[in-house]
Amino acid sequence: MAYDKFNKLTSSAVPLPIENVDTDQIIPARFLKATERKGFGDNLFRDWRYNADDSPKKDFVLNNPIYKGSILVGGKNFGSGSSREHAAWAVYDYGFRCVVSSFFADIFRNNCLNIGVLPVQVSPEFLHKIFTAIEGNPNTELEVDLPEQTITILATGEKESFEINDYKKSNMLNGFDDIDYLLNIKDQISEFAKDTPL
Amino acid sequence: MNSKKTLFDKVWDSHVVQHIENGPDVLFIDRHMVHEVTSPVAFLGLKDRGIKVLHPEKTFATADHNTPTINQHLPVEDPLSANQLKALEENSREYGISYWGLGHEKNGIVHVVGPEYGITQPGATIVCGDSHTSTHGAFGAIAFGIGTSEVEMVLATQCIMQAKPKSMRINVEGSLSLGVTPKDVALYIISQLTTSGATGYFVEYAGQVFRDMTMEGRMTVCNLSIEMGARGGMIAPDEKTFNYVKGREFAPKGAALDKAMAYWETLYTDEGAQFDKEITFDAANIEPMITYGTNPGMGIGISNNIPIASAVEGGVATYQKSLQYMAFNEGDQMMGKDIDFVFLGSCTNGRIEDFRAFTSIVKGRKKADNVTAWLVPGSHQVEKAIKEEGLLDTLHEAGFELREPGCSACLAMNDDKIPAGKYAVSTSNRNFEGRQGPGSRTLLASPLVAAAAAVTGKVTDPRELMEIETV
Ligand code: SF4
């Protein structure tokens, strides 16, 4: 699935200072019944966001108009649980292009990278700084610079670098996905397949 | 450089098609399991690109996630589920993939049927769009869950791009005491490591406890690897493993078996091989476990009290939010808490051994009136064995019914939803908020603990009921 190229993103951010946010919260299983990849943003954090009668829960951050932007900042161990890529689709479809946390679950991180959402892992201290900055001023802007691999709190100039492997980085910069790469080395794969023992 | 290799290294390295500098490895996949929920968009992707499934003979599809567990002979009522099932059936036909739909004798939960039919083999790389694919690691396979884009990749190229994870060995030495099951071993390890304690690692389980374990037990343990954040878990294959696999429908036969055996017998960690992390536990410290919170790491020995917030590591606010959801208090005793539902099933504990364990406790007793029990076999083959071994009669006498196979209340995509505010003792794998239905409250436990709860209507130490038997 091709997606928009990612280079530099400057935006205010939506804070979700909760740990162990699992994919069942990001998108509950009952919304996984689509056969197309559309409309998942409406059900992002469904059960935290809406009451059983579909009225919005006022105290949930996505229902609070003072927080907006295309960066989601979450607590430690973000995206644990199921392998559903729908969780990453929901994040993307809602309008987030970047998720910041001090720790990501593996599969969720992979899924994000495959569909054009940049997971940015920062130190617990820096995460705390971001939360504090947003708490002080909801319009606080963050700058995520993929070529430089840095994230900056613009108001204070505080900056940290983040890790991403060269291959994934170039994919994100160009809007490529892994399938494009694999299709290009198909002959090599077929050669390899001949010798597998199983 | 140390030339000694871990089991994981051996399997991984032999499947690397290409290594990308400062990037992932291109890993060849031997077996791909597909189900209705995470595959439709992947097939759409293939169509958009106008390409075929590269190795349909290495791909197996079953319907399990959203299927009903009663009246499977009738059309599926929920139109959205019916639509996904239809899509899987059509895609399987179009691309020439074996498809075991509702009513098919081989139908069942993807991680239960894989081993049953010999699709799961030692030393294989196995993926599926479901995180509990780690189950297959019980056979010494590298097995892990993938996202839908990756499902598309494997369909198109039989490969996946993955950075090699770090390695961890978890040893459990000694032997398990009465009433302590593989599920308890796994819940104990997760409670010690937390749900992110093994993130970035691939785990090998070693030690006496796992050597003694049946294949079913090993599957339960490997299944839960993902709940400590690990990509997967594996156990070195031994005679037990080989005997389990041999003769099954999709297992190699004749000369192919000889070739496979030659490979399988190399599958162990060399003495002196290095792990990035190694942990050892003593089996004597493990008792029947139960969870009290909203992630699988929030588990305790059943006779213990819920920890107080100040004693837990990490976020107190997150911890309190979790207890609030469960309507439990710090310091509460778990034993004696009233429960409403019991769920026996899932790819964690939906195999024949789990039904034997459950039946051993309820035998000669009666289901508690306040309990609704859902007993869901992991596959038709399990269902058949339950009947053939006479377990069904015993269950009926005790007031229990058997449902038809599927994932059921494990993720509650079908009608098997635990109602809001109700407590369920579940043998499945996740106790996340709303996992078993909006507002549901899940206590994860072994089939023995589930059975004890089912006949007493409250959280009960199964050993109390077992001791009576041995007197
Ligand atoms: S039983 Fe649960 S964990 Fe297992 S495959 Fe089904 S949904 Fe996934």
Side-chain angles (χ1 to χ4, degrees):
Chain A
M1 189 84 191
Y3 51 84
D4 295 340
K5 296 175 184 181
F6 194 113
N7 197 284
K8 207 190 247 189
L9 175 67
T10 306
S11 167
S12 56
V14 177
L16 192 63
I18 299 171
E19 294 183 7
N20 303 319
V21 171
D22 60 75
T23 50
D24 274 83
Q25 308 319 315
I26 299 175
I27 183 100
R30 60 187 190 282
F31 298 112
L32 308 185
K33 294 189 178 177
T35 49
E36 284 178 77
R37 201 190 123 170
K38 283 202 288 250
F40 286 97
D42 292 345
N43 295 314
L44 176 69
F45 293 116
R46 181 76 201 193
D47 294 338
W48 285 352
R49 200 166 142 201
Y50 297 102
N51 293 304
D53 64 2
D54 290 340
S55 60
K57 291 186 180 175
K58 287 210 185 60
D59 55 356
F60 187 63
V61 66
L62 292 189
N63 295 323
N64 187 342
I66 68 168
Y67 298 111
K68 45 193 172 309
S70 49
I71 301 174
L72 176 65
V73 187
K76 183 179 143 202
N77 197 23
F78 194 90
S80 59
S82 120
S83 63
R84 60 188 71 161
E85 194 168 299
H86 311 66
W89 298 342
V91 167
Y92 184 93
D93 192 55
Y94 184 87
F96 293 117
R97 286 303 309 278
C98 172
V99 184
V100 180
S101 172
S102 58
F103 198 86
F104 288 95
D106 273 342
I107 305 185
F108 180 77
R109 179 208 296 267
N110 264 339
N111 285 342
C112 282
L113 285 166
N114 277 333
I115 65 149
V117 172
L118 181 68
V120 171
Q121 185 162 321
V122 296
S123 66
E125 297 73 35
F126 197 76
L127 186 70
H128 184 73
K129 279 185 193 157
I130 298 177
F131 280 135
T132 314
I134 301 174
E135 204 181 308
N137 176 7
N139 297 322
T140 296
E141 285 199 313
L142 303 177
E143 181 191 84
V144 179
D145 186 329
L146 179 57
E148 291 297 318
Q149 296 180 217
T150 56
I151 174 166
T152 310
I153 305 172
L154 285 182
T156 62
E158 286 164 295
K159 185 190 269 202
E160 199 172 86
S161 34
F162 61 86
E163 298 273 326
I164 179 169
N165 73 49
D166 295 348
Y167 166 81
K168 284 289 180 193
K169 180 175 170 178
S170 107
N171 269 5
M172 286 290 281
L173 289 170
N174 294 303
F176 292 159
D177 62 18
D178 288 350
I179 304 182
D180 300 325
Y181 185 93
L182 291 174
L183 287 172
N184 269 326
I185 59 161
K186 235 173 143 177
D187 292 343
Q188 195 184 343
I189 295 171
S190 305
E191 241 350 89
F192 186 93
K194 285 189 202 148
D195 283 339
T196 53
L198 300 175
Chain B
M1 264 286 285
N2 188 344
S3 62
K4 314 275 190 233
K5 283 187 157 196
T6 65
L7 165 65
F8 176 76
D9 287 335
K10 289 179 182 177
V11 181
W12 181 279
D13 295 350
S14 65
H15 286 81
V16 174
V17 177
Q18 189 191 83
H19 172 71
I20 300 172
E21 235 7 76
N22 292 322
D25 287 341
V26 175
L27 200 66
F28 189 80
I29 299 302
D30 294 313
R31 299 289 180 275
H32 184 194
M33 308 289 296
V34 176
H35 64 84
E36 74 277 21
V37 174
T38 54
S39 69
V41 174
F43 282 110
L44 270 189
L46 287 192
K47 267 172 216 151
D48 285 349
R49 293 175 201 254
I51 44 183
K52 290 198 173 1
V53 174
L54 186 62
H55 285 291
E57 80 288 358
K58 295 184 191 292
T59 314
F60 300 85
T62 180
D64 57 2
H65 275 60
N66 68 22
T67 53
T69 55
I70 46 168
N71 293 326
Q72 288 188 349
H73 59 290
L74 300 177
V76 173
E77 269 176 38
D78 172 15
L80 293 172
S81 296
N83 196 30
Q84 281 190 329
L85 293 168
K86 195 169 123 242
L88 183 58
E89 185 174 355
E90 287 174 359
N91 286 325
S92 300
R93 196 183 312 123
E94 183 174 343
Y95 293 104
I97 298 167
S98 311
Y99 171 65
W100 305 338
L102 266 193
H104 192 289
E105 55 163 7
K106 294 197 180 93
N107 177 256
I109 304 173
V110 54
H111 312 310
V112 176
V113 298
E116 276 175 350
Y117 293 96
I119 296 166
T120 307
Q121 294 170 21
T125 46
I126 303 172
V127 294
C128 171
D130 180 283
S131 53
H132 293 94
T133 307
S134 58
T135 312
H136 309 265
F139 292 79
I142 289 184
F144 53 89
I146 57 177
T148 298
S149 295
E150 294 170 314
V151 172
E152 185 183 340
M153 267 172 239
V154 180
L155 290 171
T157 68
Q158 205 59 33
C159 285
I160 194 170
M161 309 195 63
Q162 292 282 305
K164 191 175 181 181
K166 288 180 283 186
S167 64
M168 180 188 295
R169 180 157 62 186
I170 298 178
N171 308 288
V172 184
E173 296 298 351
S175 32
L176 299 175
S177 45
L178 177 83
V180 181
T181 69
K183 178 66 164 286
D184 302 304
V185 174
L187 286 176
Y188 175 80
I189 298 172
I190 304 165
S191 75
Q192 300 297 305
L193 290 184
T194 79
T195 52
S196 58
T199 303
Y201 290 89
F202 210 99
V203 172
E204 179 179 343
Y205 299 97
Q208 189 65 37
V209 161
F210 303 110
R211 276 197 297 278
D212 290 348
M213 236 176 233
T214 60
M215 288 313 296
E216 280 87 354
R218 293 176 187 180
M219 285 188 243
T220 301
V221 171
C222 288
N223 173 280
L224 288 161
S225 306
I226 180 78
E227 305 308 337
M228 54 186 100
R231 215 56 231 285
M234 66 202 303
I235 294 174
D238 55 14
E239 280 308 309
K240 238 184 262 181
T241 320
F242 305 142
N243 290 336
Y244 184 102
V245 176
K246 279 183 200 165
R248 292 185 187 253
E249 189 171 334
F250 293 90
K253 308 209 164 61
L257 178 62
D258 296 339
K259 188 176 166 204
M261 269 306 284
Y263 169 54
W264 292 350
E265 282 174 341
T266 67
L267 298 175
Y268 53 84
T269 289
D270 296 334
E271 189 121 5
Q274 290 293 318
F275 287 84
D276 295 304
K277 197 168 179 179
E278 180 140 16
I279 311 173
T280 301
F281 296 108
D282 181 355
N285 294 333
I286 310 177
E287 63 163 340
M289 297 285 295
I290 193 154
T291 66
Y292 56 87
T294 54
N295 73 56
M298 300 174 81
I300 46 176
I302 195 161
S303 62
N304 293 339
N305 298 347
I306 296 176
I308 45 173
S310 56
V312 299
E313 277 176 53
V316 172
T318 304
Y319 183 77
Q320 279 164 342
K321 179 175 179 291
S322 172
L323 287 193
Q324 206 172 31
Y325 180 87
M326 295 300 291
F328 288 157
N329 301 306
E330 348 176 357
D332 277 3
Q333 209 182 343
M334 282 308 287
M335 218 104 90
K337 285 208 181 285
D338 289 329
I339 59 118
D340 310 291
F341 282 76
V342 165
F343 170 54
L344 173 66
S346 86
C347 60
T348 310
N349 283 124
R351 283 171 287 267
I352 185 63
E353 204 165 84
D354 305 311
F355 282 82
R356 287 187 198 129
F358 187 94
T359 310
S360 73
I361 297 270
V362 305
K363 187 175 182 188
R365 298 194 167 88
K366 284 279 176 220
K367 182 182 79 63
D369 290 335
N370 62 318
V371 170
T372 305
W374 290 337
L375 275 46
V376 187
S379 70
H380 279 303
Q381 203 174 104
V382 174
E383 184 185 28
K384 210 169 125 216
I386 292 170
K387 290 178 182 160
E388 283 172 4
E389 293 185 14
L391 302 180
L392 187 60
D393 299 330
T394 314
L395 290 170
H396 280 162
E397 277 159 32
F400 294 91
E401 299 291 335
L402 195 63
R403 298 173 81 90
E404 292 170 285
C407 294
S408 178
C410 174
L411 89 166
M413 271 190 84
N414 65 0
D415 288 337
D416 306 346
K417 292 180 173 54
I418 309 294
K422 297 291 183 194
Y423 291 97
V425 175
S426 297
T427 66
S428 48
N429 41 58
R430 287 187 175 138
N431 51 355
F432 297 151
E433 286 185 28
R435 168 80 176 186
Q436 297 199 278
S440 61
R441 294 168 173 155
T442 303
L443 312 176
L444 297 176
S446 74
L448 293 178
V449 173
V455 292
T456 60
K458 44 189 198 250
V459 175
T460 302
D461 189 334
R463 291 171 296 191
E464 288 169 19
L465 307 182
M466 294 172 86
E467 268 147 23
I468 298 170
E469 234 171 56
T470 53
V471 169

